[in-house]
Amino acid sequence: MTLVAGIDSSTQSCKVVVRDLATGEIARTGRASHPDGSEVDPWHWWDALQSAIADAGGLSDVDAVSIAGQQHGMVALDARGEVIRPALLWNDTRSADAAAALTAEVGAEAFAERAGLVPVASFTATKLRWLADHEPENAARVAAVALPHDWLTWRLRGFGPDGERGPVLEELVTDRSDASGTAYFDPSRDVYDRDLLARALRRDADAIVLPRVLAPAEHVDGPGFVVAPGAGDNAGAALGLDARAGDIGISIGTSGTVFAVTDVAVQDRTGTVAGFADAAGGFLPIVTTLNAARVLDATAALLGADHAELARLALAAEPGAGGLVLQPWFEGERTPNLPDATATLFGMTLASTTRENLARAAIEGVLCGLAEGLDAIRAHGVAAERVLLVGGAAQSAAVQAIAAQVFDAPVVVPEPGEYVALGAAAQAAWALTGTRPEWPLQIAATLPVDTRPVIREQYAARR
């Protein structure tokens, strides 16, 4: 049996999935936790990766490995390969002013043309500008900039200040999907825009090492196994779902994401849609929200309920929750770009303010935000033939039923799985054999369209 391994180094944890190359069946898995926070020392990720690999039984019998990971996190390295400061993660909004400044300097339309996106606080370039403005001594030390999966791949291959192969910065590698989330890479031409990088760091950037961008089936050498390019987490999930043109992936996890697989690059000057690349040679236009499953966690806690009870309460309420509307921007918001926003509950009357309506309003609010993201992607001519609903919250019966009422396309719920890690394993197989694997996707439920216009009409009225 030939085995391949996929790794998901996410915001909250590191997951390892080992799959059979021939069938895609899962042979074994491993997991380790990451520390909380929006600023994390990357060495915690390395420790978690080693623990997760050990939990999965090691990699001694594995022929290929790929690491997918949370996008945008700024891993700044000095000339010796040392991490200069803790990484600022995608959900760290302190660089919101930097994003606005960069957009003003370059222009939203020009940014969309050059990098496929308009900066918001999540993107790497904005974090580099924050570093230049608030920690100029650290900014002056930057010799290389990597993303979380780039740095972990480098370390796994034996590179680093304490690695057997030394701190060779030129051995940093990445893929198009993760590079496209930096705001200094052009996914339509597959090249870095060093002028944008220089603007971000407020210094000449010609000598700064950026990870070499590998093609989908390309690989580099590892310690006894082939190492694939890796991917951003959403691109990894798209591979794990075997998403193709016409599929819309909607994930409800720590963040909420809406993405589509396309053959043509999307450039949105409004900044609503980020025109990322995917991990298969195409494009992955995406809309991301900061407020997703944790909104449901908070609402359940407020109601003194577990998630099963939250679902029961929500399904006991009518569509539209009796006029109760939750705008769920508890932690600011990325889409729309309102980093300082707070959540608001509208439509409270003596009749509407019930536990059932509040439970339903929380789910409707999260899904309506994602539906607005789907509308924004469709506005660029992207077809939506079916919605693939994934993430921890997707297993809720109430989330599934209400999703069928919010989205105007059939909702398909795959079996629960670590789709980012599963996709990374598919990429590892691709790098090993030169052919993208065709492993079957297991479906848990298919929900026909059951659109209830009142839900989105109410939400839009409050927007």
Side-chain angles (χ1 to χ4, degrees):
M1 178 187 296
T2 301
L3 299 175
V4 295
I7 296 165
D8 172 19
S9 181
S10 72
T11 311
Q12 296 179 320
S13 61
C14 181
K15 284 84 69 176
V16 178
V17 175
V18 179
R19 304 181 77 172
D20 177 10
L21 175 68
T23 66
E25 291 293 319
I26 296 174
R28 56 186 192 265
T29 64
R31 187 185 187 98
S33 297
H34 285 162
D36 293 332
S38 61
E39 177 181 289
V40 174
D41 186 336
W43 288 100
H44 289 301
W45 301 332
W46 176 242
D47 291 342
L49 174 59
Q50 292 178 301
S51 296
I53 288 172
D55 190 44
L59 300 177
S60 61
D61 58 347
V62 169
D63 289 300
V65 177
S66 174
I67 301 177
Q70 54 178 301
Q71 289 191 268
H72 315 311
M74 179 192 72
V75 183
L77 304 175
D78 66 15
R80 298 174 300 173
E82 297 281 1
V83 175
I84 293 172
R85 69 164 336 275
L88 300 185
L89 307 190
W90 62 274
N91 57 349
D92 194 308
T93 59
R94 76 183 76 175
S95 59
D97 290 342
L102 284 168
T103 302
E105 292 169 19
V106 177
E109 185 171 355
F111 241 119
E113 290 176 355
R114 293 171 63 176
L117 50 79
V118 179
V120 295
S122 298
F123 300 149
T124 315
T126 72
K127 301 177 189 308
L128 292 172
R129 171 58 69 87
W130 181 92
L131 187 70
D133 289 344
H134 294 270
E135 299 177 2
E137 291 183 0
N138 281 337
R141 293 174 55 200
V142 174
V145 182
L147 301 173
H149 112 255
D150 311 338
W151 185 78
L152 287 169
T153 298
W154 189 61
R155 293 284 304 150
L156 185 66
R157 296 175 60 215
F159 295 102
D162 64 342
E164 294 181 0
R165 305 176 73 178
V168 185
L169 297 178
E170 290 74 16
E171 286 291 341
L172 286 163
V173 296
T174 191
D175 84 310
R176 294 173 64 248
S177 71
D178 223 4
S180 67
T182 60
Y184 48 81
F185 179 82
D186 181 352
S188 63
R189 297 188 300 126
D190 290 343
V191 294
Y192 286 111
D193 189 321
R194 287 190 175 269
D195 174 67
L196 293 178
L197 177 63
R199 284 181 177 275
L201 269 172
R202 295 191 185 278
R203 51 171 278 206
D204 181 81
D206 289 345
I208 292 177
V209 175
L210 296 174
R212 181 164 60 95
V213 180
L214 303 180
E218 198 171 352
H219 66 266
V220 287
D221 61 305
F225 46 74
V226 162
V227 179
D233 49 3
N234 294 296
L239 277 181
L241 292 166
D242 197 28
R244 308 288 175 140
D247 287 336
I248 302 294
I250 295 182
S251 175
I252 310 176
T254 304
S255 62
T257 57
V258 185
F259 62 80
V261 175
T262 68
D263 295 326
V264 180
V266 168
Q267 297 177 345
D268 182 2
R269 70 180 66 180
T270 72
T272 302
V273 181
F276 293 167
D278 73 355
F283 300 92
L284 196 81
I286 188 168
V287 174
T288 303
T289 63
L290 289 180
N291 298 281
R294 285 180 293 185
V295 174
L296 309 187
D297 295 340
T299 305
L302 180 65
L303 293 172
D306 59 17
H307 282 280
E309 175 67 2
L310 183 75
R312 187 196 68 76
L313 289 168
L315 290 173
E318 293 296 318
L324 208 62
V325 176
L326 177 64
Q327 189 170 271
W329 300 337
F330 284 86
E331 297 186 302
E333 190 47 85
R334 169 171 165 172
T335 308
N337 183 23
L338 298 168
D340 298 320
T342 56
T344 307
L345 186 63
F346 299 95
M348 296 180 71
T349 67
L350 291 176
S352 69
T353 308
T354 66
R355 298 176 78 239
E356 291 81 2
N357 283 337
L358 180 56
R360 185 175 185 106
I363 296 173
E364 290 183 350
V366 170
L367 291 172
C368 282
L370 294 169
E372 289 186 348
L374 175 54
D375 289 346
I377 290 176
R378 278 174 157 169
H380 291 274
V382 176
E385 296 175 6
R386 65 172 180 169
V387 169
L388 297 168
L389 190 66
V390 296
Q395 304 312 310
S396 163
V399 170
Q400 293 178 13
I402 296 171
Q405 296 172 350
V406 170
F407 301 116
D408 57 354
V411 174
V412 175
V413 183
E415 289 285 352
E418 298 291 351
Y419 283 100
V420 177
L422 292 169
Q427 189 193 55
W430 195 348
L432 182 65
T433 66
T435 303
R436 180 175 177 175
E438 296 185 0
W439 294 331
L441 177 66
Q442 303 299 319
I443 304 299
T446 300
L447 304 169
V449 177
D450 184 25
T451 307
R452 306 299 178 94
V454 64
I455 300 173
R456 294 205 56 196
E457 289 170 359
Q458 287 186 163
Y459 187 83
R462 298 301 186 181
R463 284 275 275 106

